[in-house]
Amino acid sequence: LQQRRGLRLSAPAAIQVTVRDALNQALDEELERDERVFLLGEEVAQYDGAYKISRGLWKKYGDKRVIDTPISEMGFAGIAVGAAMAGLRPVCEFMTFNFSMQAIDQVINSAAKTCYMSAGSIAVPIVFRGPNGASAGVAAQHSQCFAAWYGHCPGLKVVSPWSSEDAKGLLKASIRDDNPVVMLENELLYGVPFEMSEQAQSKEFVIPIGKAKIEKHGAHVTLVSHSRPVGHCLEAAAVLAKEGVECEVINLRTIRPMDIETVEASVVKTNHLVTVEGGWPQFGVGAEICARIMEGPAFNYLDAPAVRVTGADVPMPYAKILEDNCIPQVKDIVFAVKKALNI
């Protein structure tokens, strides 16, 4: 009516939300929506979470919905998997995915394979979530990316958010999914604010698992990444734009199932491909993308070999200067793009 009278209505403004708060919102909304959902892990309840992701949830939902566990990943992951088989929808938090190695038998052999081995009669609707990849100054046993590890395993879905919208939409989709989902967050992104649209502020906002997002359109080279390196790709794209190189930046969002169609369509347009990841090079996410492109129709459109930018092939050093040289930086992406374009 106001529009008919010629009054100009402004669209609701997007707001700035940190990744931490987006995850907290998603957990709060799903705990409220479905009484089968519960959260368990080390320090998630009274302490509000090691990274304050679960802040306020224990006070709101109580001991039966937000559960502190002993420091025993195999134990509480096993309890969570059993609860999922019995009809609940647990969210199992690992303080870091490096510690999920203690529980990998539960994640792979118990959660991922049960639906197939039971001929579809037993679903395991569980989310394993927590920080993944390099943080800052925490050395080799706390700085590994497990995207390739978990992405290797059939029966799992694996998501890897970058922005606040990614984090909220993917976590809500993961909790509602009837399959086991591994959600690989990044500790260094928790405090970073991103713009969140009005749509993303809705309680029914979900991001489909298995669908990538083009963060920036371009015509000269395709940059494919996930998690924190997506931001580095956008920074590199801004640097290269000053030199007349227009990069198309793809945020994978999901590692398994991988949206290779979006990557293929971009490569057909740009004729060049650079993959960027924080994990190790051998058998990595970038290696899989390159193989899939080589095996598919987009290979014939490549004007140069694909280039991978990865973490260094070493356990993560503790010293900051060495750590910086083990993690892909903006300059490394710029160098790789120029190599791919032969400029």
Side-chain angles (χ1 to χ4, degrees):
L1 183 62
Q2 287 175 310
Q3 285 177 324
R4 285 180 184 174
R5 288 173 179 166
L7 296 176
R8 197 170 160 193
L9 297 179
S10 58
I15 59 172
Q16 293 280 317
V17 177
T18 65
V19 172
R20 174 182 289 109
D21 288 342
L23 291 166
N24 181 267
Q25 282 177 28
L27 287 168
D28 188 7
E29 290 169 8
E30 294 305 302
L31 283 161
E32 182 180 60
R33 175 181 176 271
D34 188 341
E35 63 181 11
R36 296 172 297 171
V37 176
F38 70 97
L39 172 67
L40 79 168
E42 295 152 358
E43 299 182 345
V44 300
Q46 296 186 44
Y47 189 69
D48 280 341
Y51 303 98
K52 302 299 180 258
I53 302 298
S54 53
R55 184 171 49 218
L57 299 181
W58 173 68
K59 289 180 181 176
K60 184 173 181 179
Y61 295 101
D63 290 324
K64 289 188 177 181
R65 306 288 302 284
V66 183
I67 304 167
D68 276 331
T69 65
I71 304 174
S72 176
E73 280 77 11
M74 179 175 279
F76 68 73
I79 289 169
V81 172
M85 291 178 180
L88 299 179
R89 305 186 83 88
V91 179
C92 177
E93 177 179 309
F94 295 121
M95 196 177 289
T96 156
F97 261 94
N98 297 267
F99 301 160
S100 74
M101 293 294 94
Q102 296 287 331
I104 197 166
D105 180 61
Q106 303 289 3
V107 178
I108 304 298
N109 282 324
S110 297
K113 299 175 182 176
T114 293
C115 184
Y116 178 85
M117 293 178 72
S118 67
S121 63
I122 303 174
V124 189
I126 185 171
V127 180
F128 300 99
R129 52 153 297 271
N132 170 72
S135 180
V138 290
Q141 292 177 329
H142 299 75
S143 296
Q144 187 175 336
C145 177
F146 289 94
W149 284 56
Y150 287 117
H152 179 66
C153 181
L156 288 179
K157 293 184 177 181
V158 183
V159 299
S160 181
W162 169 58
S163 67
S164 298
E165 284 197 7
D166 289 353
K168 181 178 181 181
L170 288 172
L171 180 52
K172 289 171 73 73
S174 300
I175 292 171
R176 297 181 188 189
D177 202 288
D178 287 333
N179 299 280
V181 182
V182 171
M183 182 157 174
L184 304 170
E185 301 154 13
N186 188 286
E187 180 186 338
L188 296 178
L189 289 174
Y190 282 155
V192 178
F194 289 87
E195 192 172 272
M196 187 175 276
S197 66
E198 182 201 8
Q199 179 191 13
Q201 295 167 46
S202 162
K203 289 187 177 182
E204 291 307 309
F205 174 72
V206 294
I207 289 173
I209 294 174
K211 185 63 183 168
K213 180 186 179 186
I214 299 175
E215 298 287 351
K216 178 185 178 298
H217 291 274
H220 297 141
V221 61
T222 299
L223 287 173
V224 187
S225 190
H226 67 96
S227 191
R228 189 167 173 253
V230 173
H232 296 338
C233 287
L234 290 170
E235 290 179 46
V239 172
L240 288 159
K242 296 175 182 176
E243 301 180 34
V245 177
E246 292 300 325
C247 302
E248 183 144 292
V249 179
I250 297 177
N251 173 10
L252 274 179
R253 283 180 164 174
T254 305
I255 306 301
R256 185 183 185 103
M258 186 178 284
D259 182 6
I260 202 67
E261 293 80 13
T262 294
V263 180
E264 284 178 336
S266 180
V267 169
V268 166
K269 180 173 73 171
T270 68
N271 311 118
H272 298 89
L273 173 65
V274 175
T275 68
V276 185
E277 65 189 302
W280 294 319
Q282 191 157 323
F283 313 116
V285 175
E288 174 66 17
I289 294 168
C290 292
R292 299 275 282 274
I293 291 297
M294 186 192 74
E295 293 167 351
F299 175 73
N300 294 314
Y301 290 84
L302 280 175
D303 288 342
V307 180
R308 290 182 293 157
V309 180
T310 71
D313 198 19
V314 296
M316 184 63 70
Y318 172 72
K320 178 168 173 50
I321 189 168
L322 295 177
E323 181 182 66
D324 288 344
N325 280 283
C326 285
I327 301 171
Q329 306 291 336
V330 172
K331 62 180 176 61
D332 302 318
I333 301 169
V334 171
F335 178 82
V337 168
K338 290 184 175 180
K339 179 181 177 182
L341 294 173
N342 195 28
I343 57 176

